[in-house]
Amino acid sequence: VEKPVRHFRSLRDLEPDDLRALIEHALRLKSGSEAVGRPLEGRTLAMIFRKRSTRTRVSFAAGISQLGGVGIGLSDEESHLGRGEALADTARVLSRYVDGILIRTFAQTEIEELAHHGSVPVINGLTDLLHPCQLLADLLTLREEFGPELEELRIAWIGDGNNMANSWLNAATMLGFELRLAVPEGYDPDPDILAGARAGGSVLLTRDPEEAADGAHAVCTDTWASMGKEAEAKERLQSFAGFQVAPETMEIARPDAIFLHCLPAHRGEEVAEEVIDGPRSRVFDEAENRLHAQKALLIRLLK
Ligand code: CP
Ligand code: NVA
């Protein structure tokens, strides 16, 4: 019998124990305690970017190269996707050349389409709905800071109920930590993901950033206008007034609380400069952890 193809369309493609093991593997890869060699020698990853990227693109390209494989970047402009070639055909063709397909795009349905029509693992490099690769890095950062008992943590999300918020909800459901989201009315996370998290975990949705930050181990935020929402940027600036992660917000969190942001950041909007550039900020460790976590993911999916 043929083995089913493993995808990473969402964190939920992993079992909670697999997720924990992947984080521990990433930690060993980062510390160098495990000699990794070149397990992906001869393997190729196609990387389709239908939105901008700095971290995702470079961390995946560098990561697969460090493991002995090769990453090939594609955009709409450079490929036939921009001229309307069907995603289904693109999936069928790329599957004949490469061992995995990473895609960053708008609709989550495009991920499903690639997985359905292709025959190699598909990795979600961010959609409007989810950003699971970022959560791998964020969980690794929490693991480094607070140890392996992630279920004992309280995490605050302050800002937009966007792809990152949805992915935090998935992570909370899977790992059992407490998640408190402070989101202005009209910007709530995905209702199905929220409902799932409410059923399976400890989740609080509030309009009050202080209630979310209270006693948190980590305070997390993201841009108020994600890619694709640029036209709403001005309106959002008003809707999110009062939701900035400021030094006073960090005061309400635990004394050892850290600040996380997937980047790119807008200093003076979702986060005060003193916070993101201050002693509690771990944003550059978090960015580095993209590399280590995704190397563990690539070994799992492509080896
Ligand atoms: N955090 C993140 O995904 O960054 P990029 O948009 O630069 O890939
Ligand atoms: N929520 C942001 C994350 C960028 C890495 C966006 O989707 O643009």
Side-chain angles (χ1 to χ4, degrees):
V1 277
E2 254 180 68
K3 270 211 294 194
V5 180
R6 281 178 170 168
H7 299 293
F8 190 61
R9 297 164 291 196
S10 152
L11 281 176
R12 307 300 293 271
D13 273 334
L14 299 174
E15 294 299 327
D17 282 347
D18 295 332
L19 176 57
R20 284 191 199 93
L22 200 146
I23 300 303
E24 295 303 315
H25 189 196
L27 196 64
R28 296 195 301 277
L29 292 174
K30 180 172 184 177
S31 70
S33 69
E34 183 175 305
V36 64
R38 294 169 68 83
L40 300 185
E41 187 85 56
R43 301 286 159 120
T44 306
L45 179 72
M47 310 187 301
I48 304 173
F49 285 93
R50 312 195 80 173
K51 286 177 177 170
R52 293 173 187 278
S53 170
T54 298
R55 280 144 289 267
T56 304
R57 180 191 293 261
V58 177
S59 57
F60 266 103
I64 192 161
S65 137
Q66 289 169 19
L67 297 172
V70 169
I72 300 176
L74 285 168
S75 67
D76 273 28
E77 289 72 37
E78 298 155 327
S79 73
H80 287 279
L81 281 169
R83 296 176 60 229
E85 182 169 15
L87 208 57
D89 286 350
T90 306
R92 292 180 182 109
V93 171
L94 290 180
S95 295
R96 305 278 180 117
Y97 303 139
V98 303
D99 305 286
I101 303 173
L102 164 80
I103 182 168
R104 164 168 291 196
T105 190
F106 296 87
Q108 180 74 15
T109 50
E110 291 192 19
I111 306 270
E112 298 300 334
E113 212 176 325
L114 278 179
H116 181 73
H117 295 283
S119 53
V120 296
V122 171
I123 299 173
N124 182 346
L126 180 147
T127 60
D128 292 343
L129 187 71
L130 297 170
H131 196 3
C133 291
Q134 183 68 50
L135 254 289
L136 297 181
D138 294 8
L139 294 171
L140 175 56
T141 312
L142 292 177
R143 163 70 180 89
E144 286 181 309
E145 200 71 33
F146 298 110
E149 266 92 53
L150 297 178
E151 66 278 2
E152 287 172 10
L153 302 182
R154 179 184 293 177
I155 309 298
W157 175 267
I158 298 176
D160 193 12
N162 63 9
N163 42 16
M164 282 298 302
N166 290 332
S167 295
W168 274 109
L169 282 165
N170 277 338
T173 312
M174 294 172 73
L175 299 178
F177 56 80
E178 185 182 350
L179 181 62
R180 296 183 166 203
L181 306 108
V183 177
E185 210 161 339
Y187 298 94
D188 283 355
D190 179 80
D192 294 333
I193 296 176
L194 181 63
R198 278 187 161 143
S202 174
V203 174
L204 173 84
L205 178 64
T206 167
R207 308 290 172 216
D208 176 6
E210 295 199 355
E211 190 181 9
D214 184 32
H217 293 83
V219 179
C220 315
T221 189
D222 185 13
T223 180
W224 290 337
S226 284
M227 291 181 276
K229 301 282 188 207
E230 291 86 352
E232 296 174 17
K234 243 182 121 181
E235 177 192 331
R236 281 170 172 261
L237 222 48
Q238 297 188 339
S239 306
F240 285 87
F243 283 75
Q244 183 186 84
V245 178
E248 305 79 66
T249 323
M250 296 304 294
E251 283 311 306
I252 301 166
R254 282 167 57 102
D256 60 350
I258 61 170
F259 171 74
L260 297 179
H261 188 312
C262 64
L263 305 180
H266 307 76
R267 288 171 172 75
E269 293 184 19
E270 72 272 10
V271 58
E273 195 177 318
E274 303 94 292
V275 172
I276 191 168
D277 297 323
R280 296 183 183 201
S281 175
R282 295 291 179 275
V283 298
F284 297 112
D285 298 314
E286 181 186 4
E288 177 187 337
N289 284 342
R290 295 292 302 273
L291 175 69
H292 309 295
Q294 289 160 192
K295 282 167 76 176
L297 178 72
L298 286 168
I299 292 171
R300 179 182 161 85
L301 297 182
L302 265 55
K303 198 177 153 182

